[in-house]
Amino acid sequence: MPKHPRKSGKDLKIRHNVFDEFTNRTIYKLITGGYIEGLESPLFIGKESNVFTAHAKGHDLRIVKIYRLESCDFNRMYDYIKADPRYTNIRKRRRNIVFAWVQREYRNLMIAREHGILVPLPYAFMNNVLVLECISSGDHIAPKLKDALPRNPGQFFTKVVEGMRKLHKAGLVHADLSPFNILNRDEQPVFIDFSQATEYDTHGGEAYLQRDIRNVCAFFRPLEVDADEAKVRKLITGP
Ligand SMILES: Nc1ncnc2c1ncn2[C@@H]1O[C@H](COP(=O)(O)OP(=O)(O)O)[C@@H](O)[C@H]1O
Ligand SMILES: [Mg+2]
């Protein structure tokens, strides 16, 4: 036996083995591709996806978001995605829709980053799996805004609105922005969960923006911030 045997495929453990074979193969490819070394702690189990932490070779902490093929509400996904001008020709096949959904989340994050919005850096997407930068501060994974009230709510709110304005200038609307999808990293808002984000110039784009504004304002108003929806809308859409 060699002293340091190379790990064979089977030894590279895919922990929490709750996924179908296809998904396991995808995770395995991401491991052999060097994006992650394996799955670590489960961080969050959502309606459609499981979120894990993982380390990459350079020791940086990453997030792996895995859509469970069997529990995705693909009719809802289809309705959302076919309204996005980038995906109007998409065919209604379950896997197709889920893969496009993941690809879109990756693309949205890239666009947001290019426009200077604080979002996790996306490293890779493959089929129903997305690998992202883990938003953290030292050893601590950044908490959601709903669980970590800002020390200075007014300042934090201004930064959130600034992020929304940049996103608007990038031609996108988040469409699910709320204190659940904004992390508080050292008093800086980081937007996450861009799966529903769509081009603003989409049927429904304006209503999504209005809903995002309403959710954000509703959170900050009790914190004694002057969070007036009409004013915020002007700040976001104005010149
Ligand atoms: N890049 C990230 N860095 C740190 N935590 C994250 C990151 N992405 C997701 N999370 C955590 O996982 C949870 C679920 O991720 P999210 O993308 O919002 O999925 P869902 O679509 O299920 O809401 C988030 O609420 C957050 O706590
Ligand atoms: Mg979320």
Side-chain angles (χ1 to χ4, degrees):
M1 250 251 323
K3 236 180 170 179
H4 299 289
R6 263 183 75 84
K7 281 187 175 174
S8 76
K10 290 223 169 71
D11 295 334
L12 285 170
K13 279 256 169 64
I14 295 169
R15 288 173 56 195
H16 312 289
N17 210 343
V18 293
F19 300 108
D20 56 278
E21 256 321 291
F22 176 85
T23 301
N24 281 338
R25 273 201 304 277
T26 301
I27 297 167
Y28 179 65
K29 280 182 202 156
L30 287 163
I31 294 173
T32 52
Y35 293 102
I36 49 170
E37 293 202 304
L39 299 180
E40 288 159 22
S41 326
L43 193 62
F44 186 83
I45 300 180
K47 266 201 324 275
E48 298 181 324
S49 65
N50 292 27
V51 172
F52 292 85
T53 53
H55 273 89
K57 286 232 165 55
H59 301 298
D60 60 322
L61 197 55
R62 295 189 175 174
I63 289 285
V64 186
K65 189 170 179 182
I66 303 168
Y67 283 87
R68 295 184 310 272
L69 291 168
E70 72 288 356
S71 40
C72 285
D73 178 353
F74 91 116
N75 284 316
R76 181 186 69 90
M77 287 178 162
Y78 179 67
D79 286 343
Y80 264 98
I81 207 161
K82 74 170 193 286
D84 187 325
R86 296 171 291 180
Y87 292 90
T88 36
N89 291 325
I90 191 148
R91 289 206 290 165
K92 192 173 182 180
R93 289 221 185 114
R94 176 177 274 272
R95 282 196 176 183
N96 233 10
I97 302 290
V98 180
F99 299 170
W101 192 253
V102 171
Q103 183 208 56
R104 190 168 75 138
E105 188 163 357
Y106 178 95
R107 288 173 72 183
N108 289 336
L109 285 165
M110 276 297 185
I111 294 170
R113 268 188 89 81
E114 283 160 11
H115 285 79
I117 300 145
L118 272 181
V119 299
L121 172 64
Y123 287 104
F125 68 90
M126 192 182 280
N127 304 330
N128 51 329
V129 183
L130 184 66
V131 182
L132 308 168
E133 168 194 7
C134 180
I135 300 301
S136 54
S137 166
D139 291 341
H140 300 288
I141 298 177
K144 295 188 241 294
L145 174 58
K146 74 163 183 79
D147 299 322
L149 296 189
R151 278 199 288 275
N152 185 331
Q155 245 172 41
F156 199 94
F157 176 70
T158 304
K159 289 175 191 162
V160 169
V161 173
E162 187 51 34
M164 292 172 80
R165 179 180 159 83
K166 286 182 182 165
L167 202 55
H168 185 70
K169 300 300 167 221
L172 293 180
V173 53
H174 185 288
D176 193 18
L177 201 64
S178 77
F180 287 81
N181 285 329
I182 299 174
L183 304 182
N184 180 351
R185 179 178 60 190
D186 299 333
E187 304 299 316
Q188 302 293 331
V190 183
F191 296 177
I192 61 163
D193 200 357
F194 276 70
S195 59
Q196 321 206 28
T198 185
E199 291 198 349
Y200 179 73
D201 250 339
T202 294
H203 174 70
E206 214 179 303
Y208 293 142
L209 178 63
Q210 197 51 48
R211 188 175 64 189
D212 286 353
I213 293 172
R214 196 183 325 121
N215 288 339
V216 166
C217 287
F219 178 77
F220 281 95
R221 227 173 280 122
L223 305 178
E224 293 176 10
V225 175
D226 175 25
D228 178 76
E229 290 182 25
K231 265 198 230 163
V232 168
R233 195 189 171 80
K234 257 196 193 148
L235 280 172
I236 292 171
T237 57

Coordinates of all heavy atoms in Angstrom, one line a residue, residues 181-223:
N181 N -33.4 37.3 2.4 CA -32.4 37.2 1.3 C -31.4 38.3 1.3 O -30.7 38.6 0.2 CB -33.1 37.1 0.0 CG -33.8 35.7 -0.2 OD1 -33.2 34.7 0.3 ND2 -34.9 35.6 -0.9
I182 N -31.3 39.0 2.4 CA -30.2 40.0 2.6 C -29.4 39.5 3.8 O -30.0 39.3 4.8 CB -30.8 41.4 2.8 CG1 -31.6 41.9 1.6 CG2 -29.6 42.4 3.1 CD1 -32.4 43.2 1.8
L183 N -28.1 39.4 3.6 CA -27.3 39.0 4.7 C -26.6 40.3 5.3 O -26.4 41.3 4.6 CB -26.2 38.0 4.3 CG -26.6 36.7 3.6 CD1 -25.4 35.8 3.3 CD2 -27.6 36.0 4.5
N184 N -26.4 40.2 6.6 CA -25.7 41.3 7.3 C -24.3 40.9 7.6 O -24.0 40.2 8.5 CB -26.5 41.7 8.6 CG -25.8 42.8 9.3 OD1 -24.7 43.3 9.0 ND2 -26.5 43.3 10.3
R185 N -23.4 41.3 6.7 CA -22.0 41.0 6.9 C -21.3 42.2 7.4 O -21.1 43.2 6.7 CB -21.3 40.5 5.6 CG -19.8 40.2 5.9 CD -19.0 39.7 4.7 NE -19.1 40.6 3.6 CZ -18.6 40.3 2.4 NH1 -18.2 39.1 2.1 NH2 -18.7 41.2 1.5
D186 N -21.0 42.2 8.7 CA -20.3 43.4 9.3 C -20.9 44.7 8.9 O -20.3 45.6 8.4 CB -18.8 43.4 8.8 CG -18.1 42.2 9.3 OD1 -18.5 41.6 10.3 OD2 -17.1 41.8 8.6
E187 N -22.3 44.7 9.0 CA -23.0 45.9 8.8 C -23.1 46.3 7.3 O -23.5 47.5 7.0 CB -22.5 47.1 9.6 CG -22.5 46.8 11.1 CD -23.9 46.5 11.7 OE1 -24.9 47.2 11.3 OE2 -24.0 45.5 12.5
Q188 N -22.7 45.4 6.4 CA -22.9 45.6 5.0 C -24.0 44.7 4.4 O -23.9 43.5 4.7 CB -21.6 45.3 4.2 CG -20.4 46.1 4.6 CD -20.5 47.6 4.3 OE1 -21.2 48.0 3.4 NE2 -19.9 48.5 5.1
P189 N -24.9 45.2 3.7 CA -25.9 44.3 3.1 C -25.4 43.5 1.9 O -24.8 44.1 1.0 CB -27.0 45.2 2.7 CG -26.4 46.5 2.5 CD -25.2 46.6 3.4
V190 N -25.5 42.2 2.0 CA -25.1 41.4 0.8 C -26.4 40.7 0.3 O -27.1 40.0 1.1 CB -24.1 40.3 1.2 CG1 -23.6 39.5 0.0 CG2 -22.9 41.0 1.9
F191 N -26.8 40.9 -0.9 CA -28.0 40.3 -1.5 C -27.7 38.8 -1.9 O -26.6 38.6 -2.5 CB -28.5 41.0 -2.7 CG -28.9 42.5 -2.4 CD1 -29.3 43.3 -3.5 CD2 -29.0 43.0 -1.2 CE1 -29.8 44.6 -3.3 CE2 -29.4 44.3 -0.9 CZ -29.8 45.1 -2.0
I192 N -28.6 37.9 -1.6 CA -28.4 36.5 -2.0 C -29.7 36.0 -2.7 O -30.7 36.8 -2.7 CB -28.0 35.6 -0.9 CG1 -29.1 35.6 0.2 CG2 -26.7 35.9 -0.2 CD1 -29.0 34.4 1.1
D193 N -29.6 34.8 -3.2 CA -30.8 34.1 -3.7 C -31.4 34.8 -4.9 O -32.5 35.3 -4.9 CB -31.9 34.0 -2.6 CG -32.9 32.9 -2.9 OD1 -32.8 32.3 -3.9 OD2 -33.8 32.7 -2.0
F194 N -30.6 34.7 -6.0 CA -31.0 35.4 -7.2 C -31.8 34.5 -8.2 O -31.8 34.8 -9.4 CB -29.8 36.0 -7.9 CG -29.4 37.4 -7.4 CD1 -28.9 37.5 -6.1 CD2 -29.6 38.5 -8.1 CE1 -28.6 38.7 -5.6 CE2 -29.3 39.8 -7.6 CZ -28.8 39.9 -6.3
S195 N -32.3 33.4 -7.7 CA -32.9 32.5 -8.7 C -34.1 33.1 -9.4 O -34.4 32.7 -10.5 CB -33.3 31.2 -7.9 OG -34.2 31.5 -6.9
Q196 N -34.9 33.9 -8.6 CA -36.1 34.5 -9.3 C -35.8 35.8 -10.0 O -36.7 36.3 -10.7 CB -37.2 34.8 -8.3 CG -37.3 33.7 -7.2 CD -38.7 33.7 -6.6 OE1 -39.6 34.0 -7.3 NE2 -38.7 33.3 -5.4
A197 N -34.6 36.3 -9.8 CA -34.3 37.6 -10.4 C -34.4 37.5 -11.9 O -34.1 36.5 -12.5 CB -32.8 38.0 -10.0
T198 N -34.9 38.6 -12.4 CA -35.3 38.6 -13.9 C -35.0 39.9 -14.5 O -34.7 40.9 -13.8 CB -36.8 38.2 -14.0 OG1 -37.0 38.0 -15.4 CG2 -37.7 39.2 -13.4
E199 N -35.0 40.0 -15.8 CA -34.8 41.3 -16.4 C -36.0 42.2 -16.0 O -37.2 41.8 -16.0 CB -34.7 41.2 -17.9 CG -33.4 40.5 -18.3 CD -33.1 40.6 -19.8 OE1 -33.9 41.2 -20.6 OE2 -31.9 40.3 -20.1
Y200 N -35.7 43.5 -15.7 CA -36.7 44.4 -15.3 C -37.7 44.6 -16.4 O -38.9 44.7 -16.2 CB -36.1 45.7 -14.9 CG -37.1 46.8 -14.5 CD1 -37.8 46.7 -13.3 CD2 -37.4 47.8 -15.3 CE1 -38.7 47.6 -12.9 CE2 -38.4 48.8 -15.0 CZ -39.0 48.6 -13.7 OH -39.9 49.6 -13.4
D201 N -37.2 44.5 -17.6 CA -38.1 44.7 -18.8 C -38.8 43.5 -19.1 O -38.8 43.0 -20.3 CB -37.2 45.1 -20.0 CG -37.4 46.5 -20.4 OD1 -38.5 47.1 -20.0 OD2 -36.6 47.1 -21.1
T202 N -39.5 42.9 -18.2 CA -40.2 41.6 -18.3 C -41.6 41.9 -17.9 O -41.9 42.8 -17.1 CB -39.6 40.7 -17.3 OG1 -38.3 40.4 -17.6 CG2 -40.4 39.4 -17.2
H203 N -42.5 41.1 -18.5 CA -43.9 41.2 -18.0 C -43.8 41.0 -16.5 O -43.4 39.9 -16.1 CB -44.7 40.2 -18.8 CG -46.1 40.1 -18.2 ND1 -47.0 41.1 -18.4 CD2 -46.7 39.2 -17.5 CE1 -48.1 40.8 -17.8 NE2 -48.0 39.6 -17.2
G204 N -44.3 41.9 -15.8 CA -44.3 41.7 -14.3 C -43.1 42.3 -13.6 O -43.1 42.4 -12.4
G205 N -42.1 42.8 -14.3 CA -40.9 43.3 -13.8 C -41.2 44.5 -12.8 O -40.6 44.5 -11.7
E206 N -42.1 45.3 -13.2 CA -42.4 46.5 -12.4 C -43.1 46.1 -11.1 O -42.8 46.6 -10.0 CB -43.3 47.4 -13.2 CG -43.1 48.9 -12.9 CD -44.0 49.7 -13.7 OE1 -44.0 49.6 -15.0 OE2 -44.7 50.5 -13.1
A207 N -43.9 45.1 -11.2 CA -44.6 44.7 -10.0 C -43.6 44.0 -9.0 O -43.8 44.1 -7.8 CB -45.8 43.7 -10.4
Y208 N -42.7 43.3 -9.6 CA -41.7 42.6 -8.7 C -40.9 43.7 -8.0 O -40.6 43.6 -6.8 CB -40.7 41.8 -9.5 CG -41.3 40.6 -10.2 CD1 -40.8 40.2 -11.4 CD2 -42.2 39.8 -9.5 CE1 -41.4 39.0 -12.0 CE2 -42.7 38.7 -10.1 CZ -42.3 38.3 -11.4 OH -42.8 37.2 -12.0
L209 N -40.5 44.8 -8.7 CA -39.7 45.8 -8.0 C -40.6 46.4 -6.9 O -40.1 46.7 -5.8 CB -39.3 46.9 -9.0 CG -38.5 48.1 -8.4 CD1 -37.2 47.6 -7.8 CD2 -38.3 49.2 -9.4
Q210 N -41.9 46.7 -7.2 CA -42.7 47.3 -6.2 C -42.8 46.4 -4.9 O -42.8 46.9 -3.8 CB -44.1 47.5 -6.8 CG -45.0 48.5 -6.0 CD -44.2 49.8 -5.7 OE1 -43.6 50.4 -6.6 NE2 -44.3 50.2 -4.4
R211 N -42.9 45.1 -5.2 CA -43.0 44.1 -4.0 C -41.7 44.1 -3.2 O -41.7 44.1 -2.0 CB -43.3 42.7 -4.6 CG -43.6 41.7 -3.5 CD -44.0 40.4 -4.0 NE -42.9 39.8 -4.8 CZ -43.1 38.7 -5.5 NH1 -44.3 38.1 -5.6 NH2 -42.1 38.1 -6.2
D212 N -40.5 44.2 -4.0 CA -39.2 44.2 -3.3 C -39.2 45.5 -2.4 O -38.8 45.4 -1.2 CB -38.1 44.3 -4.3 CG -37.8 42.9 -4.9 OD1 -38.5 41.9 -4.5 OD2 -37.0 42.8 -5.8
I213 N -39.6 46.6 -3.0 CA -39.6 47.9 -2.2 C -40.5 47.8 -1.0 O -40.1 48.2 0.1 CB -40.0 49.1 -3.1 CG1 -39.0 49.3 -4.2 CG2 -40.2 50.3 -2.3 CD1 -39.4 50.3 -5.3
R214 N -41.7 47.2 -1.2 CA -42.6 47.1 -0.1 C -42.0 46.2 1.1 O -42.1 46.6 2.2 CB -43.9 46.5 -0.6 CG -45.1 46.7 0.4 CD -46.4 46.0 0.0 NE -46.6 46.0 -1.4 CZ -46.8 44.9 -2.2 NH1 -46.8 43.7 -1.6 NH2 -47.0 45.0 -3.5
N215 N -41.4 45.1 0.7 CA -40.8 44.2 1.7 C -39.7 44.8 2.5 O -39.6 44.7 3.7 CB -40.3 42.9 1.1 CG -41.4 42.0 0.6 OD1 -42.6 42.1 1.1 ND2 -41.2 41.1 -0.3
V216 N -38.9 45.6 1.7 CA -37.7 46.2 2.4 C -38.2 47.3 3.3 O -37.8 47.4 4.5 CB -36.7 46.7 1.3 CG1 -35.7 47.6 1.9 CG2 -36.0 45.5 0.7
C217 N -39.1 48.1 2.8 CA -39.6 49.3 3.6 C -40.3 48.8 4.8 O -40.2 49.3 5.9 CB -40.5 50.2 2.8 SG -39.6 51.1 1.6
A218 N -41.1 47.7 4.7 CA -41.9 47.2 5.8 C -40.9 46.7 6.9 O -41.3 46.8 8.1 CB -42.8 46.1 5.4
F219 N -39.8 46.2 6.6 CA -38.8 45.8 7.6 C -38.2 47.0 8.3 O -38.0 46.9 9.5 CB -37.8 44.9 6.9 CG -36.7 44.4 7.9 CD1 -37.0 43.4 8.8 CD2 -35.5 45.0 8.0 CE1 -36.1 43.0 9.7 CE2 -34.5 44.6 8.9 CZ -34.8 43.6 9.8
F220 N -37.9 48.0 7.6 CA -37.1 49.1 8.2 C -38.0 50.1 8.9 O -37.5 50.8 9.8 CB -36.2 49.8 7.1 CG -35.0 49.0 6.9 CD1 -34.9 48.1 5.8 CD2 -33.9 49.2 7.7 CE1 -33.8 47.4 5.6 CE2 -32.7 48.4 7.5 CZ -32.7 47.6 6.4
R221 N -39.3 50.2 8.5 CA -40.1 51.3 9.1 C -40.2 51.1 10.6 O -40.0 52.1 11.3 CB -41.5 51.3 8.5 CG -41.9 52.7 8.1 CD -43.2 52.7 7.3 NE -43.0 52.4 5.9 CZ -43.6 51.3 5.2 NH1 -44.4 50.5 5.9 NH2 -43.4 51.2 4.0
P222 N -40.4 49.9 11.2 CA -40.5 49.8 12.7 C -39.1 50.1 13.3 O -39.1 50.3 14.5 CB -40.9 48.4 12.9 CG -41.4 47.9 11.6 CD -40.7 48.7 10.5
L223 N -38.1 50.2 12.5 CA -36.7 50.5 13.1 C -36.5 52.0 13.0 O -35.4 52.5 13.1 CB -35.6 49.8 12.3 CG -35.8 48.2 12.3 CD1 -34.6 47.6 11.5 CD2 -35.8 47.6 13.7

